[in-house]
Amino acid sequence: MPPSNLTAQKRTEAPRCLCAPSSPGKKFKSLAEIMKTAKKCELADEDLVDVCCVECGSGDGEEEMLLCDKCDKGFHIYCLRPIVVRIPAGSWFCPRCSGREEVRAFPLRQTKIMEFFRIQKCMHGAGGKCRASPVDVRRRRRRPVSFVTSKKSRKLLPFNPTEAPVRRLEQMGSLATALRALKMEFSNELTYMAGMAPRSANQAMLENGGMQVLSKEDAETLELCQTMWKQGEWPPLMVVFDSLEGFTVEADGHIKDLTLIAEYTGDVDYLVNRENDDCDSMMTLLLSTDSSKSLVICPDKRGNIARFINGINNHTPEGRKKRNLKCVRYNVEGECRALLVATRDIGKAFNLTV
């Protein structure tokens, strides 16, 4: 006779109900009545408890752990490169899922560079530099020679572009690499997009307390710099990638005090629309007595090299000691413009900081 346990394994009948049948007419409580008297209990989310940081392998510091909305992997904000300053609002994707894990250099071909930055064709003279117009030549001659004189008069100075065309190509290629890595379009002007603030909202007269008016000479300097930018002649700047800070900008040649470096550009929007925006590179454009009319520059989709300069909106005492640029908002023909100007002499290989 086979053992009883084997007989139990071969059983195919449904188990008989051993409980007594309920008495007829018994009433059951409704779900609403049960929920009123039920005790609350907290259940630990096992999926979150078991998440560890991909970079360091630790599950500690859950309050500073980011979960990718695509692959569900965890990352400490201080383990990411570049470091994430704070927990971002909304969806977040890790470097692998966002396609930003590897920074690929932009091809250093002149045709590609000219197309990417929409550089205007011009006649080249000796050394590959664009020939300046008679107006530009007069402006260059009127440029103050003495550094002391220029410091006292506080006039903006146009930048001196790098002489070597090959090096200028490398400088522009470094900026194109950074813009492409962040999936941004190049724009050297303020842009007004549908659904955001219109250009008619950018009125310098709305500034609370008034705004500094750009003088005639400084306006000529700005016009000259804009002409050089369009022709592919830029300040000697190189965008580099730092494992901790991300993309930064360093001087690729000597830059004098009071030199106009760049204009802060991007999409113009109302401040009230961006109060919960995580972008740490927004710049104030207009502070109106009516807060609903205040404007900001948002370089998250369109912008220029100013997007990658360190210290934007960093007003700590430590940051002020390190900065060698300042962002000055000017009234230019009735509109607000934000210009980045050197506050001291900047040597080659020094990081630019606002």
Side-chain angles (χ1 to χ4, degrees):
M1 185 173 183
S4 60
N5 60 342
L6 293 179
T7 304
Q9 290 178 4
K10 294 180 180 180
R11 187 181 62 188
T12 58
E13 295 181 5
R16 298 176 182 178
C17 180
L18 300 179
C19 58
S22 59
S23 58
K26 184 177 180 181
K27 296 182 178 179
F28 294 94
K29 292 183 179 180
S30 65
L31 181 60
E33 293 175 331
I34 295 175
M35 292 301 295
K36 287 181 181 179
T37 58
K39 295 182 179 179
K40 295 182 179 180
C41 63
E42 295 182 0
L43 298 177
D45 193 335
E46 297 180 356
D47 293 336
L48 294 178
V49 173
D50 295 335
V51 170
C52 295
C53 176
V54 172
E55 300 296 334
C56 68
S58 171
D60 298 335
E62 295 177 10
E63 66 281 358
E64 295 181 308
M65 183 87 73
L66 286 174
L67 293 182
C68 177
D69 288 318
K70 187 174 182 180
C71 67
D72 292 330
K73 293 182 179 179
F75 298 83
H76 287 125
I77 59 175
Y78 47 80
C79 289
L80 290 166
R81 295 294 182 270
I83 292 175
V84 177
V85 180
R86 59 182 179 272
I87 301 294
S91 300
W92 178 82
F93 300 97
C94 69
R96 181 183 296 274
C97 294
S98 63
R100 289 164 52 183
E101 187 178 38
E102 181 181 358
V103 178
R104 298 182 181 180
F106 193 86
L108 294 179
R109 293 196 295 271
Q110 187 174 4
T111 53
K112 286 283 186 181
I113 294 292
M114 293 182 66
E115 180 182 351
F116 186 87
F117 292 109
R118 299 183 293 277
I119 295 174
Q120 298 177 356
K121 294 182 179 180
C122 58
M123 298 180 64
H124 293 277
K129 293 185 65 176
C130 294
R131 294 179 181 175
S133 66
V135 177
D136 295 342
V137 172
R138 287 197 299 270
R139 181 69 191 107
R140 288 178 187 271
R141 287 176 180 173
R142 285 160 52 190
R143 178 178 175 180
V145 177
S146 171
F147 174 69
V148 177
T149 303
S150 66
K151 180 104 176 176
K152 290 181 179 179
S153 60
R154 306 304 296 177
K155 302 300 181 184
L156 299 183
L157 302 178
F159 56 82
N160 288 321
T162 302
E163 293 284 341
V166 175
R167 189 59 179 174
R168 290 207 307 270
L169 202 66
E170 293 176 358
Q171 294 167 359
M172 289 187 284
S174 69
L175 174 57
T177 298
L179 289 171
R180 190 172 64 172
L182 297 186
K183 298 180 180 179
M184 290 177 55
E185 295 179 14
F186 171 75
S187 176
N188 226 14
E189 300 176 350
L190 295 175
T191 48
Y192 301 88
M193 308 301 294
M196 299 185 189
R199 184 165 187 171
S200 59
N202 185 1
Q203 300 182 37
M205 64 180 182
L206 299 177
E207 174 73 12
N208 186 12
M211 181 175 290
Q212 182 177 350
V213 179
L214 194 67
S215 67
K216 183 178 179 181
E217 289 190 9
D218 288 346
E220 290 178 352
T221 299
L222 175 59
E223 184 179 356
L224 171 60
C225 291
Q226 288 175 330
T227 301
M228 290 193 289
W229 285 327
K230 291 177 181 178
Q231 296 176 348
E233 293 184 337
W234 294 354
L237 303 173
M238 188 73 72
V239 182
V240 297
F241 184 78
D242 183 87
S243 60
L244 292 177
E245 299 182 4
F247 291 105
T248 60
V249 181
E250 64 181 31
D252 199 37
H254 181 74
I255 298 175
K256 286 187 175 182
D257 184 17
L258 297 178
T259 296
L260 176 57
I261 299 297
E263 178 179 356
Y264 208 88
T265 64
D267 295 337
V268 179
D269 200 0
Y270 291 108
L271 177 61
V272 293
N273 295 341
R274 301 282 180 154
E275 288 180 338
N276 298 321
D277 199 312
D278 282 5
C279 181
D280 57 357
S281 297
M282 286 192 298
M283 175 63 67
T284 301
L285 181 63
L286 170 64
L287 283 178
S288 173
T289 51
D290 183 354
S291 59
S292 65
K293 296 182 179 180
S294 296
L295 303 176
V296 290
I297 305 172
C298 310
D300 49 351
K301 295 181 181 178
R302 279 160 286 273
N304 59 6
I305 199 167
R307 166 67 175 81
F308 304 102
I309 294 177
N310 275 355
I312 298 299
N313 300 320
N314 181 9
H315 306 296
T316 62
E318 291 279 333
R320 289 176 181 173
K321 293 179 183 178
K322 296 179 180 179
R323 68 183 182 184
N324 46 31
L325 299 179
K326 64 178 178 180
C327 185
V328 186
R329 295 181 299 122
Y330 286 101
N331 178 345
V332 182
E333 297 181 354
E335 293 186 344
C336 304
R337 306 275 285 277
L339 305 181
L340 296 178
V341 182
T343 58
R344 65 181 73 168
D345 282 11
I346 306 174
K348 184 176 181 179
F350 276 81
N351 282 347
L352 271 63
T353 306
V354 179

